[in-house]
Amino acid sequence: MYWKTARTPQLRTLPIDETTRDAARLVFDVAQTKLRNLATNHPDYLPIFTDGGHWVHDKEKWTNWGEGFTPGQMWLVYEQTKSPEWKELASHYTELVRGRELDVETHDHGFLIATSFKQQWELTGDEDAKQVAITAGRTLGGRFLESCQMIPSFIAPESTFIDVMRNIGLVFWAALETGDEDLLRRARAHSRTTRRHLVRGDGSAGHEGQWNVETGEFLRMTTHQGWREDSSWNRGLAWSLAGFTECYALDGQPDFLATARLNAEYWMTHTSNDDPVPPNDFLEPDPVRRWESSGAVAAAQGLFHLARYVDDQDEAKAYHERALATFRRLAEPEFLALEPEWEGILKHGSYHERKNLGVDESVEWGEYFFVEFARDLLADWR
Ligand code: GLY
């Protein structure tokens, strides 16, 4: 969501073989078909997850945090095709998200607005869209709690989520774009609080941290979507790995790069090039579902970009190879929904195992980051 507006110079470009690029083209083809069908069969609907491969309409969603991913994918398809039809569709679906930039009840402004309005500005130069994105960055930064030096999650003031790290790029971007030093201070402070309390020494990440909001004392780590409080939720680690990489790409602080590398070390040692897609939680014994693909694609995209920023050539090569191996695996028919009756693009994702929401299904952020990673693999600006 922020790779294009990165300010830290990249150290290298790395080769992308034709097999991987062909896989990226195939993902775009499938995405176009599925998105067109979504717009035809479920007009103006912004889905979050499927049930048996069909977009769910009337089930509990826990929080409304996924609406930007549909217009976001449409902008990515427009970027590839330059077709006026996709521009019109993406603009229309972006308008459906308008208003969320002012939503003070969520911590997901990046997922909602960087995907939709920020991309609209990047691809069309629309100034109004840019202002909406800046407003969203200010709204998220405005949630900052001085006593705890963090931005609370939607749950309560005393809670923050690792997920915020994949949204906070919008706060960095808005602060840097407008020269707002206090906003930048908040973004850095939240990231450092997360690094201190939610990222562990072995590079794994907790999901939720809880504080005493009066004294600012950190109390404990907990989880909603992982196996248990002290375990290692795959997607939480992916949000941290890619999030700290993006914050480094935007703001160039060395401790952000160090945190991303620590996360990457955990990811790399708990997956392999032959088996790159982990289950929902790395520590769950005998996981019921073999895979959680949305975290895998988000982490792989993070590794792909991190490879451009680390000093060590061998480390960079290992990240790059793992990122490409993961993408190719996810583009195999076991994961890529070539069959027309499955409405999503990427199978075997899970939203919330404990609540039994979207488990072993297509999930809208998995779709978005799959298509965004395909864009990165084909882009000439990278
Ligand atoms: N932000 C919630 C999730 O990753 O499922």
Side-chain angles (χ1 to χ4, degrees):
M1 295 186 291
Y2 313 103
W3 310 116
K4 274 190 178 174
T5 41
R7 295 173 178 225
T8 309
Q10 297 188 7
L11 300 181
R12 63 184 66 78
T13 55
L14 290 158
I16 298 166
D17 58 274
E18 269 313 300
T19 308
T20 306
R21 288 171 66 85
D22 283 347
R25 290 184 194 103
L26 176 63
V27 168
F28 262 108
D29 286 349
V30 174
Q32 273 198 61
T33 304
K34 304 280 180 171
L35 286 164
R36 199 172 274 124
N37 289 345
L38 171 69
T40 306
N41 299 334
H42 309 263
D44 287 0
Y45 186 59
L46 301 167
I48 297 199
F49 56 89
T50 60
D51 188 1
H54 298 283
W55 292 118
V56 162
H57 278 256
D58 49 6
K59 216 169 166 181
E60 182 211 346
K61 296 191 176 74
W62 193 38
T63 67
N64 276 339
W65 65 286
E67 290 94 331
F69 295 121
T70 305
Q73 289 171 76
M74 291 171 171
W75 283 119
L76 291 165
V77 174
Y78 168 65
E79 185 178 357
Q80 291 303 305
T81 60
K82 296 292 183 294
S83 136
E85 177 209 340
W86 282 106
K87 184 178 179 183
E88 200 178 310
L89 208 55
S91 304
H92 175 76
Y93 273 77
T94 293
E95 283 306 312
L96 301 179
V97 187
R98 194 182 281 275
R100 298 301 302 278
E101 71 277 13
L102 296 168
D103 184 348
V104 293
E105 304 292 327
T106 184
H107 59 255
D108 285 319
H109 298 84
F111 292 142
L112 291 161
I113 303 293
T115 48
S116 53
F117 284 95
K118 180 169 174 286
Q119 273 206 110
Q120 176 165 2
W121 163 65
E122 283 166 1
L123 293 170
T124 69
D126 184 318
E127 266 306 307
D128 170 66
K130 181 181 184 183
Q131 290 312 316
V132 172
I134 287 173
T135 300
R138 289 193 194 285
T139 304
L140 182 56
R143 286 172 59 80
F144 186 75
L145 206 57
E146 293 290 347
S147 64
C148 306
Q149 293 288 295
M150 57 77 172
I151 294 173
S153 75
F154 82 96
I155 296 275
E158 60 266 26
S159 142
T160 195
F161 280 7
I162 195 71
D163 315 38
V164 177
M165 282 313 301
R166 199 68 177 85
N167 287 280
I168 202 161
L170 193 62
V171 184
F172 278 103
W173 170 78
L176 293 165
E177 202 65 34
T178 59
D180 186 334
E181 284 296 326
D182 194 53
L183 197 57
L184 187 60
R185 174 187 67 84
R186 292 165 182 224
R188 285 178 178 161
H190 174 87
S191 304
R192 291 186 167 127
T193 299
T194 301
R195 165 176 155 82
R196 179 166 184 208
H197 292 299
L198 291 189
V199 178
R200 307 185 183 107
D202 65 357
S204 65
H207 183 186
E208 182 184 40
Q210 296 199 3
W211 276 257
N212 177 328
V213 291
E214 300 303 324
T215 63
E217 182 189 6
F218 177 74
L219 301 176
R220 68 186 74 85
M221 268 197 241
T222 49
T223 194
H224 295 264
Q225 287 155 284
W227 171 54
R228 66 181 201 190
E229 320 299 20
D230 62 346
S231 67
S232 183
W233 178 41
N234 149 2
R235 193 159 65 252
L237 182 60
W239 294 149
S240 185
L241 193 174
F244 275 102
T245 305
E246 276 188 329
C247 294
Y248 178 71
L250 288 162
D251 190 33
Q253 303 292 308
D255 52 342
F256 299 164
L257 179 65
T259 311
R261 288 181 64 216
L262 196 61
N263 290 150
E265 186 185 323
Y266 190 94
W267 191 279
M268 294 291 287
T269 53
H270 289 79
T271 57
S272 70
N273 284 357
D274 294 332
D275 190 9
V277 184
N280 185 60
D281 195 304
F282 287 101
L283 297 183
E284 183 176 353
D286 302 322
V288 181
R289 275 105 197 160
R290 173 69 188 80
W291 299 298
E292 201 295 281
S293 59
S294 71
V297 78
Q301 192 199 23
L303 289 172
F304 177 83
H305 288 279
L306 184 57
R308 274 123 191 99
Y309 291 108
V310 292
D311 283 331
D312 188 282
Q313 299 277 1
D314 292 340
E315 186 182 338
K317 190 163 174 283
Y319 293 161
H320 184 69
E321 283 175 1
R322 177 63 52 80
L324 269 50
T326 310
F327 187 87
R328 287 193 303 270
R329 175 73 178 110
L330 295 174
E332 289 176 3
E334 194 151 28
F335 288 94
L336 180 63
L338 297 168
E339 60 274 34
E341 58 277 14
W342 190 279
E343 292 190 303
I345 303 165
L346 179 64
K347 294 182 284 186
H348 305 303
S350 284
Y351 176 21
H352 203 310
E353 282 199 357
R354 292 174 180 213
K355 287 184 179 288
N356 199 26
L357 298 174
V359 178
D360 202 8
E361 294 289 340
S362 288
V363 293
E364 197 57 355
W365 50 96
E367 316 276 273
Y368 178 82
F369 288 109
F370 200 21
V371 181
E372 194 187 88
F373 190 10
R375 184 279 310 273
D376 295 349
L377 292 165
L378 298 173
D380 51 17
W381 49 263
R382 125 190 78 68

